[in-house]
Amino acid sequence: MVFKKLLGALGVGGPSVDTVLRHPHVRPGENLAGEVRITGGNQDVTVESVALGFVTRVETEHGGHDGHAGVEFHRAVVAGRFTLSEGENKTIPFELPVPWETPITSVYGQHLHGMTLGVRTELAIAKVADKGDLDPVSVEPLPAQEKVLEAFSQLGFHFKSADLEHGRLHGVRQELPFFQEIEFYPPQQFAGRINEVELTFVAGPHGLDVVLEADKRGGFFTPSQDAFGRFHASHEEALTTDWAGQIHGWLEQAAERRGGAGHHGHDHHGYGHHPHGYHDEHQRRGSGMGGMVAGAALGAGAGILGGMVVGEVLEEVFEGDEEEF
């Protein structure tokens, strides 16, 4: 993607930058490869550094109000100090590691509605760091994550939306300061008992945590409850795990349990150990969603997210939020 404007802080006639990705589709744990192409302006300049950063949008709470903020969650310097002559063309190849916990933005080639993620190039000259436009990056699920998503499809879940929540999950080894929630409407057999189910992946080099949260419908005198569960498997084990059976069993337990421990915020999700390899759910009071709205059906294979509304183009989503990055 060619930057739409010259680097403003460097003035008219300053260098321009074009960051080209070898392939815009990548998986967590892989490297995002490409090159930064810099064209000199109308005078010689000394470039202090060239850096790339992954940027996404995270839901935040300020004074009781929900909002979104741009977050750079991984950064790498791809070139140190060098002189860029007038009109000179310079190409800098790079391979940017993709953190294991990078949120998924695409499933079977379909954009995951609600997710935005890109890589931003920063050129520093004369102690002025000028950030350019964002190049969209599509993050595909790991094979282990695909197996879980296929199980959701088999069970009849319907996709609702996805977002990123600021905070940390209790009992889970987590590197990033936020986590992804992929929200589903439950299968028809749980209608009236469970409002929705949120799926969170926390991946690492050796394995995968699958965190589930069920928002349970309350009765006339009973507030809605949230039930939590966690499964852990190595990447190899996850490929042969009966995820549909595990998730269905947990969902049945979540729907049947009553009462609850106190309220748990997103920074304090609690889990109790279960001898059969997954974790008992803890519950918290919460507000119900009201009526259930039909979502886009998860199908099998390439149509797993077919029918979803395609998300906004990255630049449009971030438009007006430049100062937050």
Side-chain angles (χ1 to χ4, degrees):
M1 178 186 299
V2 177
F3 285 169
K4 300 173 183 176
K5 59 181 180 300
L6 293 178
L7 300 175
L10 306 178
V12 177
S16 60
V17 180
D18 176 14
T19 299
V20 179
L21 303 180
R22 185 180 304 167
H23 199 296
H25 299 271
V26 73
R27 282 176 165 168
E30 295 181 346
N31 288 329
L32 181 68
E35 55 188 32
V36 179
R37 301 171 182 173
I38 306 174
T39 301
N42 56 15
Q43 60 181 336
D44 297 353
V45 295
T46 298
V47 177
E48 303 293 340
S49 65
V50 179
L52 296 173
F54 281 117
V55 179
T56 190
R57 203 169 190 182
V58 178
E59 186 173 316
T60 59
E61 290 186 14
H62 296 288
H65 299 287
D66 294 336
H68 291 85
V71 174
E72 183 182 84
F73 62 92
H74 184 65
R75 178 182 178 86
V77 175
V78 297
R81 185 184 178 95
F82 64 90
T83 299
L84 182 67
S85 302
E86 177 183 354
E88 178 185 0
N89 293 314
K90 186 175 180 62
T91 299
I92 303 169
F94 65 83
E95 287 195 1
L96 184 64
V98 181
W100 283 97
E101 295 175 23
T102 300
I104 297 167
T105 66
S106 178
V107 179
Y108 293 115
Q110 297 293 318
H111 180 78
L112 200 59
H113 184 63
M115 298 307 305
T116 54
L117 189 146
V119 62
R120 168 165 286 169
T121 308
E122 180 182 281
L123 196 66
I125 297 176
K127 298 184 179 180
V128 176
D130 204 326
K131 299 178 181 180
D133 291 342
L134 288 164
D135 288 282
V137 176
S138 178
V139 182
E140 303 283 347
L142 294 161
Q145 294 169 329
E146 284 184 353
K147 288 294 184 181
V148 178
L149 291 170
E150 288 172 4
F152 269 73
S153 172
Q154 295 167 12
L155 292 170
F157 282 86
H158 291 251
F159 175 80
K160 177 189 174 187
S161 64
D163 64 6
L164 301 179
E165 299 279 347
H166 185 270
R168 294 187 178 276
L169 297 164
H170 179 71
V172 178
R173 184 183 179 89
Q174 183 182 340
E175 301 292 335
L176 297 181
F178 58 80
F179 53 91
Q180 182 177 32
E181 289 184 337
I182 305 174
E183 301 175 0
F184 296 89
Y185 295 113
Q188 185 61 35
Q189 69 188 94
F190 294 98
R193 293 188 290 167
I194 292 178
N195 284 320
E196 65 181 27
V197 175
E198 295 175 348
L199 166 66
T200 294
F201 292 121
V202 182
H206 304 296
L208 177 71
D209 280 294
V210 178
V211 182
L212 302 174
E213 177 180 349
D215 178 13
K216 304 191 323 185
R217 282 184 181 274
F220 186 75
F221 296 106
T222 308
S224 296
Q225 304 285 335
D226 281 3
F228 299 93
R230 176 164 62 92
F231 305 78
H232 178 81
S234 69
H235 290 289
E236 293 75 18
E237 292 170 342
L239 299 180
T240 58
T241 295
D242 177 16
W243 288 109
Q246 294 272 49
I247 294 168
H248 185 269
W250 171 81
L251 202 58
E252 286 282 5
Q253 292 183 8
E256 292 173 3
R257 290 187 61 157
R258 294 292 181 266
H263 178 88
H264 292 275
H266 283 299
D267 288 353
H268 305 284
H269 284 177
Y271 307 93
H273 180 68
H274 191 285
H276 294 96
Y278 62 93
H279 293 241
D280 286 335
E281 63 273 15
H282 283 221
Q283 300 169 330
R284 66 177 174 86
R285 298 181 62 173
S287 58
M289 283 177 55
M292 193 186 329
V293 182
L298 277 174
I304 190 169
L305 295 178
M308 282 197 321
V309 177
V310 176
E312 298 86 349
V313 177
L314 194 63
E315 292 85 359
E316 294 177 354
V317 173
F318 286 133
E319 186 175 357
D321 293 336
E322 289 290 323
E323 296 305 318
E324 298 184 34
F325 296 91

